[in-house]
Amino acid sequence: GRHPRACTIMRVVEFTNSHNVVITNEEQDILQQVINDGSIEKKKFSERDAQIANQLVNKDLLLRKKINDQITYSPQPRTKNITVS
């Protein structure tokens, strides 16, 4: 079937060192979860959320680590300073 086009609101993330990154609402949700928890194991995410987490890794907002064969996501140290507008 035809999918309705997803309306994505882009947001600008401002770093204290004036390095701006644009993230979507979805990405912000995942980022916030990881920041709140300190780190989240990939297996706790749905496939979709894991994809979004990987996008955040690509944008240099999350770190992806492999610990005991478990992939975990944690915030980049500088991501604690982001403000999302």
Side-chain angles (χ1 to χ4, degrees):
R2 285 177 47 213
H3 294 291
R5 282 202 26 214
C7 172
T8 307
I9 299 168
M10 299 303 277
R11 291 162 173 248
V12 178
V13 177
E14 290 175 28
F15 290 96
T16 45
N17 59 0
S18 77
H19 177 89
N20 290 353
V21 178
V22 176
I23 62 172
T24 64
N25 279 359
E26 273 184 316
E27 288 171 336
Q28 190 198 345
D29 288 345
I30 299 294
L31 184 60
Q32 209 56 61
Q33 277 181 43
V34 177
I35 289 172
N36 292 347
D37 286 16
S39 72
I40 296 185
E41 292 182 351
K42 183 180 177 187
K43 64 180 182 196
K44 292 190 179 161
F45 283 136
S46 65
E47 217 170 298
R48 171 89 187 118
D49 287 352
Q51 274 182 332
I52 296 167
N54 282 331
Q55 288 167 16
L56 290 164
V57 172
N58 293 339
K59 291 184 182 188
D60 212 23
L61 297 174
L62 289 182
L63 289 168
R64 185 179 160 146
K65 296 182 192 149
K66 198 166 186 185
I67 304 165
N68 304 331
D69 284 338
Q70 290 296 338
I71 292 172
T72 57
Y73 295 98
S74 57
Q76 283 277 13
R78 67 195 179 101
T79 5
K80 295 191 169 64
N81 306 328
I82 62 171
T83 51
V84 180
S85 51

